[in-house]
Amino acid sequence: QSLLPAGYTLRALRSNDYERGFLKVLEVLTEVGNHTKQEWLEQFNYLKKHNHEYFTITITDDKKDVVVAAGTIFVERKFVHKNGLVGHIEDIAVDGNQQGKKLGLRIIQALKYIGAQRGCYKVILDCSEKNIPFYEKCGFKQKEYEMAWYV
Ligand code: ACO
């Protein structure tokens, strides 16, 4: 496990990360929507209450006090593998100006660690073809195919 570059902090998502630009960072992934503070808190409070299932971490730039990277692990309960747990890594995002500084790698390392600590027997994720080399560097192997149905 390698360290964060100086001047950055990795920590759990906080309610006032709304003001620190957390949602803006997610815009590298897809359309996010304009959340009011109330709409943000609705989702934040749900996730916090269920933090044994959903855990979101961020990396902040200490000087600017803004969020520059984020990621989530969702822990799914199964019957197979004798009530096994599977970790799903979701919504890995690094601000466009901060990519290439190993922040994405640190987010993944931390989420893998959380998954292992929770007792997951595996941690999986879906990604685009162009991100395969990144996830391979993070220790993942390509397996199966992703299927999607959009309502
Ligand atoms: N192709 C080849 N290698 C790559 C790529 C790539 N597209 N991206 C990163 N790498 C390599 C880096 O060169 C580095 O290699 P090194 O250790 O040999 O130097 C290693 O992977 C780690 O790279 P980081 O610096 O940690 O990558 P970064 O912080 O830029 O984060 C990420 C990568 C998350 C893909 C970022 O570029 C990003 O936010 N992209 C836009 C959003 C996105 O696609 N998110 C992932 C969606 S999939 C999901 O959420 C499950």
Side-chain angles (χ1 to χ4, degrees):
Q1 300 263 326
S2 29
L3 297 169
L4 274 177
Y8 293 90
T9 302
L10 190 150
R11 57 160 174 79
L13 185 68
R14 294 184 186 156
S15 63
N16 54 6
D17 284 336
Y18 178 83
E19 284 83 12
R20 292 196 186 87
F22 170 76
L23 294 172
K24 182 96 196 126
V25 171
L26 297 187
E27 285 175 9
V28 296
L29 290 164
T30 186
E31 185 239 354
V32 178
N34 295 310
H35 294 64
T36 61
K37 180 87 191 239
Q38 190 52 38
E39 287 163 338
W40 151 266
L41 283 175
E42 242 168 67
Q43 195 74 309
F44 177 86
N45 290 335
Y46 180 93
L47 299 179
K48 181 148 193 198
K49 200 162 131 200
H50 298 84
N51 70 1
H52 53 294
E53 285 175 341
Y54 292 96
F55 205 80
T56 297
I57 57 171
T58 62
I59 295 176
T60 49
D61 177 326
D62 298 335
K63 217 181 251 167
K64 295 189 185 136
D65 196 29
V66 292
V67 175
V68 294
T72 296
I73 185 164
F74 163 61
V75 178
E76 176 202 1
R77 298 177 70 100
K78 287 192 163 307
F79 281 112
V80 297
H81 290 266
K82 215 180 231 171
N83 295 348
L85 300 175
V86 173
H88 297 263
I89 284 184
E90 292 286 341
D91 297 345
I92 303 304
V94 178
D95 178 88
N97 298 317
Q98 303 270 351
Q99 291 176 5
K101 297 183 181 177
K102 303 259 163 63
L103 302 181
L105 179 71
R106 266 71 183 194
I107 291 277
I108 298 296
Q109 285 174 339
L111 294 176
K112 283 167 68 182
Y113 180 79
I114 292 166
Q117 290 295 308
R118 294 279 155 99
C120 295
Y121 70 90
K122 68 175 177 182
V123 174
I124 58 177
L125 60 90
D126 291 325
C127 73
S128 64
E129 196 174 355
K130 91 173 174 32
N131 283 333
I132 290 174
F134 166 70
Y135 288 111
E136 283 176 341
K137 293 228 158 126
C138 295
F140 286 76
K141 284 192 194 79
Q142 198 179 345
K143 254 204 129 201
E144 315 293 351
Y145 295 90
E146 179 196 63
M147 308 287 281
W149 179 70
Y150 287 85
V151 181

